[in-house]
Amino acid sequence: MTVEKSLRRRAIQDARARYRHALTRGEVSGDVSRFSAWIARDRTLNIAVASLAIPLLVLLGVAVALNGPMVAACGLLLLAASNVVTFVERRQQLRLLDRLIHAV
């Protein structure tokens, strides 16, 4: 690996670390030129995972409630609810970060 390639890889890793920090803390610093693309990707992934996981967990939870132990059904429905909360929180984080980088 060349020195230039190593430096480029390190710069991308640093940018990703700053992106994760900005996403979780709401504090933007340094070069944010890549953030818009990453926000768009994360929005798409967030919607895709939620649109698959939540209905699947609800469906399994209802099926287990009708045919199996209620403890398992409650566990699956709680996982579905947890996914809803995670989806909403991540959506808000992405929206806030998008506003912050456009304000800079």
Side-chain angles (χ1 to χ4, degrees):
M1 180 182 316
T2 65
V3 174
E4 182 179 310
K5 189 174 181 180
S6 177
L7 291 173
R8 197 174 326 119
R9 180 177 288 163
R10 180 67 183 162
I12 291 171
Q13 289 173 345
D14 289 344
R16 285 187 180 139
R18 281 187 286 101
Y19 174 75
R20 284 190 304 272
H21 178 80
L23 194 57
T24 57
R25 309 275 177 161
E27 302 167 357
V28 178
S29 65
D31 180 23
V32 296
S33 61
R34 299 171 191 244
F35 285 17
S36 290
W38 292 342
I39 290 170
R41 181 203 60 202
D42 284 354
R43 278 186 178 142
T44 303
L45 287 174
N46 192 35
I47 291 169
V49 168
S51 64
L52 293 174
I54 294 167
L56 179 64
L57 288 169
V58 169
L59 182 66
L60 288 173
V62 170
V64 170
L66 296 174
N67 302 313
M70 287 304 286
V71 172
C74 289
L76 287 167
L77 294 173
L78 282 172
L79 278 173
S82 172
N83 275 312
V84 169
V85 170
T86 302
F87 168 75
V88 170
E89 287 177 346
R90 180 53 55 119
R91 187 175 171 163
Q92 289 173 343
Q93 289 172 333
L94 290 168
R95 189 178 300 135
L96 173 64
L97 183 56
D98 193 38
R99 280 192 219 126
L100 287 173
I101 65 169
H102 286 97
V104 172

